[in-house]
């Protein structure tokens, strides 16, 4: 309600002034400019004057202008002309008609003005409600993510412990998967509201498409197999292994479409097909993703409706959904500048088709191998001891983080609110601080500001650890002086990754890290090439013979989706123009299989 009191007070006097001025100008115009009309059309300029007053000030101003016009004609007119204007009953009738018309004009203008004010109030109320919804969602998200962080974190930590029976490991797996499912539902609802509130943004990064496709088919295949379905990447696919696009949204689109195809297919196959069309209408290459199934299909009348939020047609499957998957998918695709369509016939199957403008990328553009695939089991030989302070009020969260960090060999202390965090910082001088945002007494933002103002406070690395979902909050956190940001629920690798980034620590891993950097390129393993489907290998051979970099890159995409390690090696060597070595290896593999 910010609009009314000041503006109404303002209007109350201004509208009468406007009425007065409008009538004065009308009289002047009528006498001076239109004086040659004499007695004819006396009301000519007064109608617009009343209209202006009424439109600006409503009924009261319109009535005032009407009365002023009549008084002007009646009293002032004789002063300017030899004859009084009101001379017989016809003139009185004319004045009455003018009066009536003007009352009606004023009444209509008043109705319009009220409707405008009502619309404005409604708009402001809707904006306030939307704002309240965002605040509600972000705090709900916080409340839900915080316990989920503990469920997911502890269950996966416990799964790695020795001495568990198979039964216990299995149960922990169920807890973990249920937690993941809950998290994906929360994320769906949040995604939808972020989209509605205009918070969703696109972040295009170089990504390994081959690996992403392999990951998603690998993820969905067990579920498909459980239902007796075959889930395959179409070997006729032709796409580059590396592209530049919004990785999170693209992944969600693929997961939703393949997940739905599996969910709504009772027997037969689900086929994923990816192709790159050289240049689309946007001037960029178009990635065409098709997900075909032999499932229950969608009636023609419902094919548009299924993209609306909360629309669910089939209640026959065992897996429940939210009815938000396709709505989010379409929003993501459109945000990325693409489009989605569906062709389907009931009982025969469906084909979802997505066209996305993308840029082709090279392996060199990809970020260095992240530690996330590898499980950290401790600090590397000769690493100094690092003191890490956790400032977090929720016991289950700091307990999890402390266990993770102590397990890896960090020295850890905990402060359970912002004020205690500032005090611990002064007494213990940690190298790194994990800072929760919402805490009693002093929140994480303020605690960070206070620490930054203390001696030595500029050097310590501070990373926020928060359940918030909006990017704006990330910006606010960075503006408060933090160095980094990790979202709950976190993966252990994200925590170790962040520490490595800021402290330069090195770890020991459960599996040996992949070779990176300037190590000499190992030859492409002939067995891996021989194990490929013949048409993929042949496509690679003919692309290598053509020496066309783009075609070579496109032929590697589907290979990377089947065997990410081989895809990576091929892409790297192709990136270094090792075409003849590659061709020899591919031809040798071809001969070995014939
Ligand atoms: P849900 O969570 O229900 O899967 P979606 O938004 O992903 O929500 O899908 C909306 C509805 O569209 C589904 O409930 C289902 O009826 C229909 N649908 C989606 N994909 C398919 C498909 N591949 N085959 C048949 N029906 C589908």
């Amino acid at each position: 309600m910010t609009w009314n009191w000041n503006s109404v007070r303002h209007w109350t006097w201004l509208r009468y002034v406007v009425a007065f001025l409008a009538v004065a100008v009308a009289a002047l115009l009528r006498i001076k400019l239109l004086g040659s009309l004499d007695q004819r059309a006396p009301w000519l300029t007064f109608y617009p004057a009343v209209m202006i007053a009424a439109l600006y000030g409503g009924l009261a101003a319109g009535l005032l202008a009407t009365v002023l016009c009549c008084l002007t004609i009646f009293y002032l007119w004789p002063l300017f002309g030899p004859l009084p204007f009101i001379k017989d009953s016809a003139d009185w009738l004319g004045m009455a008609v003018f009066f009536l018309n003007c009352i009606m004009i004023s009444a209509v203008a008043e109705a319009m003005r009220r409707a405008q004010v009502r619309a404005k109030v409604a708009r402001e109320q809707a904006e306030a409600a939307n704002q309240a919804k965002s605040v509600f969602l972000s705090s709900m998200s916080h409340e839900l993510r915080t316990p989920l962080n503990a469920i997911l974190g502890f269950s996966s930590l416990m799964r790695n412990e020795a001495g568990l029976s198979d039964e216990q490991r299995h149960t922990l797996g169920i807890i973990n998967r249920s937690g993941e499912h809950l998290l994906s539902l929360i994320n769906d609802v949040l995604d939808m509201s972020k989209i509605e509130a205009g918070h969703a943004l696109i972040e295009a990064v170089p990504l390994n498409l081959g690996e992403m496709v392999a990951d998603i088919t690998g993820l969905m295949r067990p579920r498909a197999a459980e239902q007796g379905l075959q889930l395959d990447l179409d070997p006729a696919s032709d796409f580059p292994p590396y592209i530049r696009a919004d990785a999170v949204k693209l992944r969600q689109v693929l997961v939703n479409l393949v997940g739905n195809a599996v969910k709504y297919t009772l027997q037969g196959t689900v086929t994923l097909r990816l192709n790159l069309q050289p240049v689309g209408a946007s001037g960029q290459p178009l990635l065409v993703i098709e997900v075909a199934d032999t499932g229950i299909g969608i009636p023609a009348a419902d094919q548009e409706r299924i993209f609306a939020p909360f629309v669910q047609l089939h209640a026959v499957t065992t897996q429940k959904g939210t009815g938000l998957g396709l709505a989010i998918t379409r929003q993501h695709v459109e945000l990325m500048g693409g489009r989605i369509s569906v062709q389907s016939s009931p009982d025969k199957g469906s084909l979802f088709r997505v066209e996305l403008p993308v840029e082709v990328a090279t392996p060199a553009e990809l970020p260095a191998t992240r530690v996330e695939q590898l499980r950290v089991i401790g600090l590397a030989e000769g690493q100094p001891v690092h003191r890490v302070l956790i400032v977090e009020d929720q016991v289950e969260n700091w307990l999890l983080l402390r266990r993770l960090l102590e397990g890896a060999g960090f020295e850890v202390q905990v402060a359970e609110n912002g004020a205690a965090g500032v005090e611990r910082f002064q007494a213990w001088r940690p190298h790194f601080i994990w800072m929760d945002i919402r805490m009693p007494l002093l929140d994480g933002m303020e605690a960070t500001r206070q620490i930054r103002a203390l001696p030595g406070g500029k050097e310590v690395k501070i990373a926020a650890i928060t359940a918030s979902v909006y990017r704006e909050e990330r910006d606010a956190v960075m503006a408060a002086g933090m160095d980094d940001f990790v979202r709950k629920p976190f993966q252990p690798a994200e925590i170790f990754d962040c520490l490595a980034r800021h402290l330069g620590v090195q770890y020991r891993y459960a599996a040996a890290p992949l070779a990176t950097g300037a190590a000499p390129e190992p030859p492409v393993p002939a067995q891996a090439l021989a194990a490929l489907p013949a048409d993929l290998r042949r496509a690679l051979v003919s692309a290598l013979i053509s020496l066309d970099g783009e075609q070579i890159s496109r032929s590697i995409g589907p290979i990377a989706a089947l065997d990410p390690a081989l895809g990576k090696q091929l892409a790297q060597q192709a990136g270094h123009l090792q075409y003849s070595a590659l061709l020899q290896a591919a031809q040798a593999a071809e001969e070995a299989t014939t």
Side-chain angles (χ1 to χ4, degrees):
M1 287 280 182
T2 49
W3 61 272
N4 44 14
W5 295 122
N6 280 339
S7 34
V8 163
R9 224 182 290 140
H10 182 63
W11 283 353
T12 314
W13 60 266
L14 194 62
R15 55 181 155 175
Y16 299 129
V17 173
V18 168
F20 189 81
L21 285 177
V23 175
V25 172
L28 216 65
L29 285 176
R30 180 64 187 79
I31 292 160
K32 293 280 173 216
L33 210 66
L34 305 173
S36 56
L37 286 176
D38 272 344
Q39 305 282 316
R40 281 160 303 192
W43 305 103
L44 192 62
T45 55
F46 293 106
Y47 273 111
V50 171
M51 189 113 49
I52 288 169
L55 281 177
Y56 182 76
L59 184 64
L63 287 182
L64 176 69
T66 311
V67 171
L68 284 175
C69 290
C70 294
L71 292 177
T72 304
I73 290 280
F74 194 71
Y75 288 111
L76 290 183
W77 217 248
L79 301 181
F80 295 102
L83 287 170
F85 171 66
I86 303 287
K87 39 184 205 314
D88 54 30
S89 56
D91 291 336
W92 280 110
L93 192 65
M95 184 183 283
V97 170
F98 172 77
F99 200 80
L100 263 178
N101 280 344
C102 287
I103 290 176
M104 283 191 284
I105 289 170
S106 304
V108 171
E110 175 71 17
M112 273 169 57
R113 207 174 63 91
R114 285 185 185 211
Q116 264 176 359
V117 170
R118 268 200 305 273
K120 193 171 173 209
V121 172
R123 201 170 51 241
E124 279 165 0
Q125 280 173 343
E127 273 164 20
N130 209 11
Q131 185 68 22
K133 189 173 108 185
S134 292
V135 172
F136 169 77
L137 277 166
S138 84
S139 50
M140 271 310 282
S141 142
H142 186 269
E143 299 309 319
L144 293 168
R145 275 162 193 270
T146 304
L148 256 183
N149 193 43
I151 295 173
L152 290 173
F154 280 116
S155 56
S156 64
L157 261 185
M158 283 172 74
R159 266 201 299 179
N160 295 329
E161 274 175 15
L164 286 182
S165 70
D166 284 350
E167 167 92 35
Q168 284 167 327
R169 220 177 282 282
H170 179 69
T171 313
L172 282 169
I174 295 176
I175 295 175
N176 203 269
R177 277 197 300 282
S178 310
E180 295 278 1
H181 182 58
L182 196 54
L183 180 62
S184 76
L185 293 184
I186 295 170
N187 284 342
D188 266 9
V189 174
L190 279 169
D191 270 344
M192 204 57 222
S193 56
K194 269 200 278 183
I195 291 167
E196 279 175 2
H199 282 286
L201 299 169
I202 291 297
E203 214 172 336
V205 291
L207 62 96
N208 189 332
L209 181 60
E211 199 170 84
M212 186 184 279
V213 170
D215 229 42
I216 291 166
T217 45
L219 189 82
M220 299 286 174
R221 206 164 270 131
R223 205 201 296 171
E226 251 171 51
Q227 291 171 230
L229 301 176
Q230 203 178 327
L231 166 61
D232 283 316
L233 174 73
D234 188 338
S237 295
D238 188 7
F239 63 94
Y242 303 105
I243 58 164
R244 182 177 270 278
D246 188 311
V248 177
K249 295 196 171 57
L250 178 59
R251 190 184 173 85
Q252 208 174 346
V253 165
L254 284 167
V255 167
N256 281 347
L257 293 180
V258 177
N260 273 352
V262 172
K263 231 192 308 183
Y264 300 108
T265 301
L266 304 177
Q267 56 182 24
T269 55
V270 172
T271 310
L272 175 62
R273 201 172 301 125
L274 286 97
N275 282 293
L276 193 76
Q277 277 180 9
V279 177
S282 60
Q284 273 179 297
L286 268 191
L287 180 68
V288 181
I289 303 167
E290 290 177 319
V291 182
D293 65 54
T294 55
I296 49 186
I298 304 157
D302 294 319
Q303 285 174 13
E304 181 50 40
R305 205 161 81 74
I306 49 168
F307 292 101
F310 302 111
V311 172
Q312 291 182 293
L313 304 179
H314 310 101
V316 291
T317 56
T318 46
Q319 293 122 334
K320 291 199 176 68
T322 51
L324 287 173
L326 284 179
I328 292 170
T329 300
R330 176 154 80 176
Q331 295 281 8
H332 281 357
V333 168
E334 287 175 358
L335 266 173
M336 288 190 274
R339 56 200 191 107
I340 182 167
S341 56
V342 61
Q343 290 167 14
S344 182
S345 9
D347 300 326
K348 291 216 175 74
S350 312
L351 172 74
F352 282 84
R353 182 183 160 95
V354 171
E355 290 175 5
L356 275 187
V358 294
E359 271 174 58
V360 177
T362 61
E365 289 174 57
L366 252 65
T369 313
R370 285 164 52 88
V371 285
E372 68 192 357
Q373 293 93 353
L374 312 161
R375 188 158 68 83
V376 170
I377 50 171
L379 293 177
E381 260 332 271
Q383 290 286 299
V385 175
H386 289 287
R387 290 185 296 279
V388 178
L389 175 64
I390 303 172
V391 187
E392 159 79 80
D393 59 322
Q394 308 248 356
V395 182
E396 55 277 39
N397 279 334
W398 65 248
L399 214 56
L400 172 65
L401 196 53
R402 190 175 72 178
R403 223 164 111 180
L404 203 64
L405 295 174
E406 284 183 343
F410 290 94
E411 224 176 79
V412 183
Q413 287 203 2
V414 177
E416 292 201 56
N417 61 59
V422 178
E423 204 181 292
R424 270 303 63 212
F425 165 75
Q426 285 172 291
W428 192 52
R429 296 280 156 194
H431 299 99
F432 193 101
I433 302 177
W434 286 111
M435 183 72 80
D436 185 24
I437 300 296
R438 294 190 202 181
M439 282 181 293
L441 292 184
L442 194 66
D443 71 17
M445 305 274 214
E446 192 45 42
T448 303
R449 277 187 213 108
Q450 292 192 9
I451 290 174
R452 289 292 188 220
L454 289 170
K458 297 249 178 332
E459 288 79 56
V460 63
K461 301 291 178 193
I462 306 182
I465 186 152
T466 164
S468 74
V469 283
Y470 295 128
R471 191 183 303 222
E472 289 85 328
E473 278 167 298
R474 185 196 166 110
D475 295 343
V477 157
M478 301 308 266
M482 305 213 194
D483 298 294
D484 216 325
F485 182 96
V486 170
R487 243 171 73 167
K488 287 182 209 164
F490 51 75
Q491 294 286 331
E494 290 175 85
I495 296 292
F496 291 124
D497 205 8
C498 183
L499 284 163
R501 251 192 328 270
H502 295 287
L503 297 179
V505 281
Q506 289 173 350
Y507 304 106
R508 280 183 296 122
Y509 300 97
L514 294 171
T516 51
E521 285 167 16
V524 174
Q527 313 93 291
L529 281 170
L532 286 176
D535 33 7
L536 289 190
R537 201 174 43 240
R538 262 178 237 131
L540 175 67
V541 170
S542 70
L544 285 165
I545 291 172
S546 76
L547 293 178
D548 176 346
E550 212 172 276
Q551 197 186 336
I552 295 171
S553 165
R554 287 209 313 264
S555 66
I556 296 174
I559 298 179
L562 284 181
D563 183 344
L566 176 64
K568 189 169 184 166
Q569 217 175 346
L570 290 173
Q572 261 163 3
Q573 298 211 354
H576 295 157
L577 305 177
Q578 311 268 341
Y579 294 164
S580 57
L582 281 178
L583 184 60
Q584 271 174 16
Q587 280 173 334
E590 186 73 31
E591 275 159 28
T593 53
T594 47

